[in-house]
Amino acid sequence: MQGADAGRANHEAVPATRVRVLGRVELDDRAADQALGRGQARELLALLVARRDAPVTTESVIDALWPDDPPATAPTIVHGLVRRVRAALGPEAVTHDAAGYRLALPAAAVDLWALDDAARRSEQSAVRAGWREPVFGQYADRGWAVAAARGLGHLRGPALAATGLRRARQVGPVSRLVGRRRELAAVT
């Protein structure tokens, strides 16, 4: 391939490592997932996914990761967490400018973004097949995740309608599992 065709092929290529935030926050490449670690770097990644193309300032990251009492060294810790995300996904995966940090991955690299794009193209079968809860996995009860999940009704509605599940309101991750079990028992 030459010229514009080569650039288009690279842009549309399926990424080597995919980010998952539907169900659990994880990377589908085991080595990259281990490089990310189990702590705050994983939560930072989920936060960047939640914000998609919107910049996230260092102060916003600090507020999200330490809502009550951030350590004095929080800005330095945030920079270290960004390095971990970059180590797991590649040096260009997180960009930074005066407005803040952004996750610079194609939609195909992030399960939630790919599902959102499918919903915008009215591909309801893809939405039903791809939806997993809890959204933002182990961080679903964090304030930033609850706020981001509120904007996902266009995904959640079709997915739940397809399975016959209805919810009066969103609750914590463990409660969701108990509620789903009761709903499934009522359906059968």
Side-chain angles (χ1 to χ4, degrees), residues 5-135:
D5 290 335
R8 192 177 312 115
N10 288 339
H11 180 68
E12 295 172 4
V14 177
T17 301
R18 292 202 54 196
V19 176
R20 297 184 191 134
V21 297
L22 297 171
R24 286 196 53 80
V25 176
E26 60 189 359
L27 304 177
D28 70 353
D29 177 89
R30 186 175 179 180
D33 196 60
Q34 288 176 342
L36 184 61
R38 295 281 169 220
Q40 291 175 316
R42 191 170 297 268
E43 184 174 1
L44 172 61
L45 175 60
L47 174 64
L48 293 172
V49 168
R51 301 287 177 87
R52 196 164 185 174
D53 295 322
V56 183
T57 64
T58 301
E59 294 76 22
S60 294
V61 173
I62 292 169
D63 290 344
L65 299 182
W66 298 279
D68 297 324
D69 191 23
T73 59
T76 303
I77 295 170
V78 168
H79 296 302
L81 296 174
V82 169
R83 280 193 300 276
R84 287 195 77 154
V85 173
R86 286 177 175 152
L89 293 173
E92 304 298 320
V94 179
T95 61
H96 184 261
D97 58 26
Y101 294 103
R102 285 183 185 88
L103 193 58
L105 297 174
V110 180
D111 62 352
L112 180 61
W113 296 355
L115 217 58
D116 185 48
D117 288 356
R120 292 178 198 283
R121 291 187 307 269
S122 298
E123 297 173 4
Q124 297 305 315
S125 61
V127 173
R128 288 189 296 271
W131 184 258
R132 304 283 181 275
E133 290 205 31
V135 181

Side-chain angles (χ1 to χ4, degrees), residues 131 133 156 160 165-171 176-177 179-181 183:
W131 184 258
E133 290 205 31
R156 180 178 282 120
L160 295 180
L165 300 178
R166 301 285 188 259
R167 293 199 177 146
R169 63 186 181 91
Q170 188 69 25
V171 292
R176 278 189 223 141
L177 294 175
R180 179 172 287 167
R181 185 173 168 189
E183 290 174 58

